[in-house]
Amino acid sequence: MDLHGILKEAFTSLSVNTIKTGLIWLLRVAWIAGTLPILIASLPFPILNSFRALLLSFAKRGKIMPSSSHRFTVPHSFFLHFYLLAVVWTTSLLTCTWYFAYKVAPLGTESLSYPFAASHLTGGSHVFSIHKSRFTSAKDRFNVWKSVFLLLLMEAHVLRRLYETFNVFNYSSSARMHIFGYLTGIYFYTAAPLSLCTFCVLEAFNFAADQVAEFKVEGQELVSITGFDLWGYVKPITRLGWCQWAGAAIFAWGWFHQYCCHAILGSLRERGDRTADYVIPHGDWFEIVSSPHYLAEMIIYAGLLVASGGTDFTIWLLLGFVVANLSFAAAETHQWYLRKFEDYPHNREQENMGIFYRGMEGELSCCCSCEEAAKTHRYTDILVL
């Protein structure tokens, strides 16, 4: 590599590292800023009542928002925007990161992809060497593939949520949410996938941009030697550690039960039924907690944390925000049930981890039986994050 190439590599590495550090701290500050007000509002001090009421006014949506409170609100059906954004953004991150991992960060004894090795050996481009030099250790390459794995899990989550928005949920036309909650959701589904791949996301996007630029120059020559190696993309994922697969199992547990609970809620309203009647939902984890879909969401993100290895403080803060936000909303939902229904089951908790100790006693039932049990209880609104 000539002097120009060395200087370019050094400058690029310095710039990327500086931007990456800034991005990581920006995400961490944002998660802390979102979590602290909720924790403060949860403290049992009378002096905080006004602040707690203000925060609740921002958090209310669906059935717990008064029908007269339409100022600074948007339709609850705008949740669709969250999942459209999440799918497009997560897919983009996953595509760039997975391609980058395959080309630049081989695991174990796997060889570099032929086109880039050939280009490097013949002096065709500095792109490969610039990016490869930043991930020389086995640990760094493992972390790149771990980011791919976390994004794959997130992709499975947001794709299911988008599917449910079209095929499971049937929002009441009168259901609203505060504009602040709407903007928070937009931020969340932008920052959450990004928080899972901060280790290599900038390098991945830079690499993709370099590849596009190189393709424009070399064009047909590059296409002629490029093939799609499916096993090469999948094999490194199968070689990840037990921690990643344990996290995936926890993720799948929460993922499955959240779908069951959403199916219960969705099955209790006929398509086109826009009334605002409410009854007590039953089935699956609804027999244990008031907002089991919230609890399942916490488990999903706990699974992501375990799959990450628990070494990334940004992901810890992401989980902290999810738990604080959903616990706050679940507590208000629980109080709403108690106020509205005199016969509300008192054995249900607001939102705690009791399900881990009681939920395995029979593992309740699968989605099909859940829906059958639910059909005898009419419920006509959906509360989800």
Side-chain angles (χ1 to χ4, degrees), residues 245-291:
W245 295 107
I250 296 171
F251 172 93
W253 183 42
W255 190 97
F256 170 76
H257 279 286
Q258 188 176 64
Y259 177 74
C260 284
C261 294
H262 286 169
I264 289 172
L265 295 175
S267 68
L268 294 176
R269 175 192 288 169
E270 298 295 333
R271 283 288 170 182
D273 183 357
R274 299 290 179 173
T275 61
D277 299 328
Y278 297 98
V279 298
I280 303 170
H282 290 268
D284 200 71
W285 286 354
F286 276 108
E287 302 302 328
I288 301 173
V289 294
S290 295
S291 301

Side-chain angles (χ1 to χ4, degrees), residues 37 77 85 90 96 107 140 163 213 228 263-264 297 309 341 355 376 381:
S77 59
L85 170 65
T90 305
C96 289
L107 285 183
D140 286 344
Y163 166 81
F228 182 73
I264 289 172
E297 186 91 354
F341 302 106
I355 192 169
T376 59
D381 201 9

Side-chain angles (χ1 to χ4, degrees), residues 11-21 134 202-203 206:
F11 178 76
T12 303
S13 178
L14 178 62
S15 299
V16 169
N17 289 335
T18 301
I19 296 173
K20 181 191 292 188
T21 301
R134 298 184 202 143
L202 292 181
E203 289 88 348
N206 281 341

Side-chain angles (χ1 to χ4, degrees), residues 102-340:
Y102 171 71
K103 295 296 186 182
V104 174
L107 285 183
T109 58
E110 295 169 10
S111 60
L112 304 173
S113 64
Y114 170 74
F116 291 88
S119 175
H120 178 57
L121 291 173
T122 58
S125 173
H126 294 305
V127 171
F128 172 81
S129 60
I130 289 175
H131 294 282
K132 177 68 170 65
S133 64
R134 298 184 202 143
F135 298 96
T136 54
S137 71
K139 181 179 179 181
D140 286 344
R141 295 195 297 272
F142 181 86
N143 285 333
V144 172
W145 282 101
K146 185 171 66 177
S147 296
V148 174
F149 189 68
L150 293 175
L151 288 172
L152 273 172
L153 295 179
M154 189 67 177
E155 181 83 354
H157 180 49
V158 297
L159 280 173
R160 195 205 78 230
R161 297 299 292 270
L162 182 63
Y163 166 81
E164 291 172 341
T165 302
F166 285 112
N167 297 285
V168 177
F169 301 158
N170 190 18
Y171 297 104
S172 168
S173 59
S174 62
R176 312 285 296 182
M177 63 175 164
H178 199 280
I179 187 65
F180 183 82
Y182 174 75
L183 295 176
T184 300
I186 293 294
Y187 170 78
F188 178 85
Y189 283 106
T190 301
L194 195 59
S195 296
L196 301 176
C197 60
T198 54
F199 179 78
C200 60
V201 64
L202 292 181
E203 289 88 348
F205 274 119
N206 281 341
F207 184 75
D210 288 339
Q211 289 304 293
V212 171
E214 186 167 323
F215 176 80
K216 290 180 179 178
V217 174
E218 300 186 11
Q220 294 302 318
E221 179 184 353
L222 189 64
V223 172
S224 63
I225 62 174
T226 301
F228 182 73
D229 178 18
L230 178 60
W231 180 238
Y233 281 89
V234 175
K235 183 179 178 181
I237 295 176
T238 66
R239 299 173 62 178
L240 293 175
W242 68 267
C243 195
Q244 282 67 55
W245 295 107
I250 296 171
F251 172 93
W253 183 42
W255 190 97
F256 170 76
H257 279 286
Q258 188 176 64
Y259 177 74
C260 284
C261 294
H262 286 169
I264 289 172
L265 295 175
S267 68
L268 294 176
R269 175 192 288 169
E270 298 295 333
R271 283 288 170 182
D273 183 357
R274 299 290 179 173
T275 61
D277 299 328
Y278 297 98
V279 298
I280 303 170
H282 290 268
D284 200 71
W285 286 354
F286 276 108
E287 302 302 328
I288 301 173
V289 294
S290 295
S291 301
H293 44 318
Y294 288 172
L295 177 59
E297 186 91 354
M298 297 179 199
I299 294 172
I300 285 171
Y301 282 92
L304 290 173
L305 175 64
V306 173
S308 75
T311 58
D312 191 335
F313 187 54
T314 306
I315 301 179
W316 277 98
L317 293 175
L318 166 61
L319 175 62
F321 174 80
V322 170
V323 172
N325 179 52
L326 294 183
S327 296
F328 192 71
E332 178 65 15
T333 301
H334 184 72
Q335 293 304 314
W336 182 89
Y337 277 126
L338 293 177
R339 290 193 300 267
K340 189 170 183 65

Side-chain angles (χ1 to χ4, degrees), residues 18-29:
T18 301
I19 296 173
K20 181 191 292 188
T21 301
L23 174 63
I24 290 172
W25 279 105
L26 179 63
L27 288 170
R28 290 178 178 181
V29 169

